[in-house]
Amino acid sequence: MDFQAIILCGPGEDLKPLVSQSLPKALLPIANKPMLYYALEWCQRGGITSAIVACSPGAEQQINQYINAGYNATQSNKSMKIEVIAQEGDTGGIIRGLRDKIKLDFILLPCDFITDLTPLLVIDAHRNQPVRTVGTGIWYKNTVDGIDKKTLKPYLTIHTPIAAPNPRLLDIYHRPKANNQLQVRMSMLWEYPQSTISTTLLESSIYLFSQRVLDYDFNESDGSGANVVATGGTANATTAVPTINLTTAESKLIPDIGKWKKPWLLVVRDLARESWRHPKSDKDTVGLFVVPKDNYFIRSKSISAYFEANRLILKQTPYSPPPSIATAKGAAIGRDSLVGIGTSIDEKTSVKRSIIGADCQVGRECRISGCVIMDGVVIGDGVHLDNCIIANGVVIEDRSRLVGCTVEGRYVVHRSTQAKNEILRGYSAEGLLSDDSEAIEDDEDDDEDDYEESDSEFDDEVNEDDLVESEGEGIDDDDDLFDRS
C-alpha cells in the first residue's frame, strides 16, 4: 500500500505579524529551517515518493524556490517528487479538486507540525485497520506547558474506547455554548454503547485515506444505506458538470464538488457519521490513532506554539559550533544556542538558549536569552532581549530592552525602547486592506458558525426522539462517558 502526500500550506493568520507576503507560513523558520522542511522530511522517512504541496496563491514561487534550491540541495536521497500547486478555498474542496493528481491512497498533513512520531508507525496502524476503514485520523494530547491554552481549542471527539483494538471515530462537536448539555444520537449509542467523549484530544490534521474516498457523495444513497460512488467519468472541478454524456439518472451518481467545499475536518466528521447512520454490516468507518504519550507533537498554529516548537527542536538538535565569524570578537555563545551562517556577534555579548538566524549583526555588550531571532536582524549595542521573537530584517537600536515581545519583520525598534509582552508592528497597506478572498486552510480552524450550521443541517435529518442529552464540559458530576484524562 503506497501513499501520496498532500501537504497543506495555508496563510497562517494566527502567526501574524511573523508571516507576510515576503515570508509565507511554510517558510517560517523553526531552528533555522523552514517549517515545511520538517513535513517533507517526515514524509521521506515514511518512504513516500510523491508529494503535492498545496499553498496559498502568491506563495508558490517562493516555496518552489526553496524546494529546488534549498530542500533538494540538502537531500542525498532525492527520490521524492514534489509538486507545488497554488489553491484557495476550504480544504475539502481543495482535496476533491486535486482528484486528477491523486493517483494513490494519500496522507494529508499540515506544514506546521513537529513530532518525533515515526511515520511508519502511523502507516502500519492504518494498514492494520479493518478492511472497511476508509481512512485514519491522528489525534494527540498537548504535553507542552508553554503553549497558550487559549489557542488550543479541542473539540468534543466521540470515539470507541482507545484501549480496544482498532478504535473508531464516531462524531465531532464544538463545545456547547448556551448550556452544558450535548445532544448525541441514540442510534450511535445503540450501536456503540461504550462510546467515549474526549474533551482533551486535539486534531493533528494528519489523515491517511483511501483514494476511493474522493468518489463519495454524502447526500445520495442507493436505498440500501451504502454510499453512492461514481461509476465512470469525472466531475468538472468548478461546475460539477459531468465531462462525459450521461443520462439524468447516471449523472446523479457523480459527486458534486460543492458538497466538499468545507474544511476537511467536517468531511471526516461526515464520513464518521455515515458509519453508524445506516444499519449495514459492510459500511465504511474512520479509524482513530492517538499519538503515544512518550512522543511529542506540536502544531505551530499560534505564536506561543511556534515559540515552543523552536525551543523543543533546539533541545533535540545536537550541538553545532557557531560559525567562526560569530565568535571572532570573543562573544560568549552557550552550547544551548544555535547561530546561523554569516552572523557576526561583537565582544562582551552573551547568547543563551537562543536561536539566531543567518546574516545577523549583533552589537557589543548585548544580552540575549531564550529568543528566536530570524535572518538579517541588526541589533545595536547594549541591547537586552529576553524570550522574544524577532522576525526577518528587524533593526533594534542601542540600549533597547525587550521582554516577551514579538517584533514584525523589518520593524525598527528605536533607541532605548523598553517593552514587555508587546507585539511591535508597523502599519502597511497589506494590513490595512481587508482581504475577502478565500484562502487554503491548513489547520482546520474552521469558522464556528459554519461548523454549527453544518451540525444543524444534520440535525434536521433526524427525529428529535432519536437524540439523548449527555453531560458536557463544566458539569461537576463525573461518569464513564467522558474522557478527561
Side-chain angles (χ1 to χ4, degrees):
M1 183 188 298
D2 294 327
F3 287 93
Q4 185 175 6
I6 303 174
I7 304 175
L8 300 177
C9 305
E13 293 295 326
D14 291 335
L15 286 170
K16 288 185 176 180
L18 300 179
V19 298
S20 62
Q21 290 182 349
S22 60
L23 182 62
K25 175 183 175 180
L27 302 184
L28 198 64
I30 297 179
N32 287 348
K33 294 179 181 178
M35 62 170 60
L36 179 59
Y37 164 87
Y38 298 95
L40 291 171
E41 192 268 343
W42 194 82
C43 290
Q44 283 208 302
R45 285 196 288 125
I48 295 173
T49 58
S50 175
I52 296 173
V53 177
C55 64
S56 302
E60 67 272 23
Q61 182 177 355
Q62 298 174 72
I63 293 176
N64 249 322
Q65 183 178 0
Y66 163 68
I67 291 174
N68 295 328
Y71 182 78
N72 286 339
T74 62
Q75 300 300 307
S76 57
N77 179 11
K78 301 179 182 179
S79 59
M80 186 164 67
K81 179 182 177 182
I82 305 171
E83 182 180 6
V84 180
I85 299 177
Q87 293 280 354
E88 60 182 359
D90 287 316
T91 43
I94 288 170
I95 301 307
R96 183 61 180 77
L98 293 173
R99 179 183 177 185
D100 292 342
K101 292 184 174 293
I102 299 175
K103 308 299 183 182
L104 304 168
D105 293 347
F106 61 93
I107 299 181
L108 179 67
L109 60 161
C111 69
D112 60 8
F113 73 97
I114 299 294
T115 185
D116 63 346
L117 179 67
T118 303
L120 291 177
L121 180 64
V122 177
I123 293 174
D124 288 343
H126 177 68
R127 286 171 173 166
N128 292 329
Q129 293 282 1
V131 66
R132 295 304 301 179
T133 302
V134 69
T136 302
I138 313 302
W139 266 256
Y140 70 102
K141 293 186 177 182
N142 177 51
T143 58
V144 183
D145 294 334
I147 297 178
D148 184 0
K149 301 304 185 292
K150 294 180 180 179
T151 65
L152 300 175
K153 301 176 182 178
Y155 301 110
L156 298 180
T157 305
I158 306 180
H159 54 84
T160 60
I162 294 175
N166 302 315
R168 296 177 178 178
L169 177 69
L170 301 177
D171 213 335
I172 302 171
Y173 289 91
H174 269 294
R175 294 169 181 263
K177 291 182 178 179
N179 54 53
N180 290 324
Q181 294 178 333
L182 174 69
Q183 290 184 327
V184 296
R185 278 77 179 180
M186 182 63 75
S187 56
M188 181 193 70
L189 295 178
W190 275 114
E191 186 161 358
Y192 299 99
Q194 294 184 328
S195 301
T196 299
I197 303 177
S198 173
T199 61
T200 58
L201 286 179
L202 296 166
E203 184 228 4
S204 73
S205 292
I206 299 178
Y207 298 95
L208 294 82
F209 264 88
S210 168
Q211 185 185 14
R212 64 187 171 88
V213 75
L214 301 176
D215 291 327
Y216 265 71
D217 187 339
F218 297 104
N219 294 335
E220 297 291 338
S221 174
D222 62 3
S224 64
N227 295 304
V228 178
V229 301
T231 57
T234 59
N236 185 284
T238 57
T239 63
V241 177
T243 59
I244 58 176
N245 294 325
L246 300 174
T247 66
T248 302
E250 289 174 329
S251 65
K252 290 182 179 179
L253 298 180
I254 301 297
D256 183 355
I257 193 174
K259 299 169 185 175
W260 286 74
K261 289 184 177 180
K262 51 189 172 184
W264 184 256
L265 179 61
L266 298 192
V267 174
V268 174
R269 182 205 62 181
D270 291 348
L271 287 166
R273 287 177 172 178
E274 289 289 333
S275 71
W276 49 260
R277 282 181 66 185
H278 306 292
K280 188 174 178 63
S281 59
D282 61 348
K283 56 201 167 188
D284 289 324
T285 60
V286 177
L288 182 138
F289 177 90
V290 179
V291 175
K293 62 181 180 179
D294 294 334
N295 296 105
Y296 63 79
F297 193 100
I298 297 180
R299 293 280 316 277
S300 300
K301 298 194 299 181
S302 65
I303 290 179
S304 64
Y306 170 75
F307 196 27
E308 293 302 322
N310 275 276
R311 286 181 168 179
L312 182 58
I313 293 298
L314 184 60
K315 291 179 181 179
Q316 303 292 332
T317 302
Y319 172 70
S320 176
S324 58
I325 189 175
T327 57
K329 297 182 179 180
I333 302 174
R335 295 178 63 89
D336 53 5
S337 297
L338 181 65
V339 179
I341 296 174
T343 290
S344 63
I345 303 177
D346 218 331
E347 60 181 351
K348 297 184 179 179
T349 288
S350 170
V351 179
K352 300 179 180 178
R353 304 188 317 278
S354 295
I355 298 170
I356 302 179
D359 301 319
C360 295
Q361 300 176 32
V362 182
R364 63 193 305 272
E365 297 183 359
C366 295
R367 300 291 181 268
I368 300 174
S369 176
C371 294
V372 176
I373 300 173
M374 300 183 196
D375 297 345
V377 174
V378 177
I379 299 175
D381 296 336
V383 172
H384 288 196
L385 302 177
D386 187 12
N387 292 325
C388 294
I389 303 177
I390 313 297
N392 286 348
V394 168
V395 176
I396 304 178
E397 296 181 349
D398 299 347
R399 307 302 173 187
S400 295
R401 295 173 180 257
L402 306 181
V403 178
C405 292
T406 300
V407 185
E408 182 183 33
R410 292 174 173 76
Y411 185 85
V412 176
V413 179
H414 294 294
R415 181 184 177 91
S416 301
T417 296
Q418 296 195 23
K420 184 176 182 179
N421 299 331
E422 294 185 21
I423 296 178
L424 305 180
R425 62 188 305 175
Y427 294 96
S428 64
E430 179 185 347
L432 293 174
L433 295 177
S434 62
D435 184 7
D436 295 330
S437 60
E438 288 185 304
I440 176 177
E441 292 292 342
D442 64 334
D443 54 9
E444 302 298 347
D445 253 346
D446 49 278
D447 183 84
E448 293 196 7
D449 294 335
D450 292 341
Y451 195 106
E452 291 167 356
E453 180 181 353
S454 184
D455 274 341
S456 64
E457 290 173 358
F458 185 84
D459 291 341
D460 292 340
E461 300 173 8
V462 297
N463 191 304
E464 291 294 329
D465 295 334
D466 190 43
L467 300 175
V468 60
E469 292 184 351
S470 172
E471 295 177 351
E473 185 190 30
I475 301 294
D476 292 332
D477 297 333
D478 197 8
D479 53 41
D480 294 334
L481 185 62
F482 280 84
D483 174 19
R484 298 185 175 88
S485 60

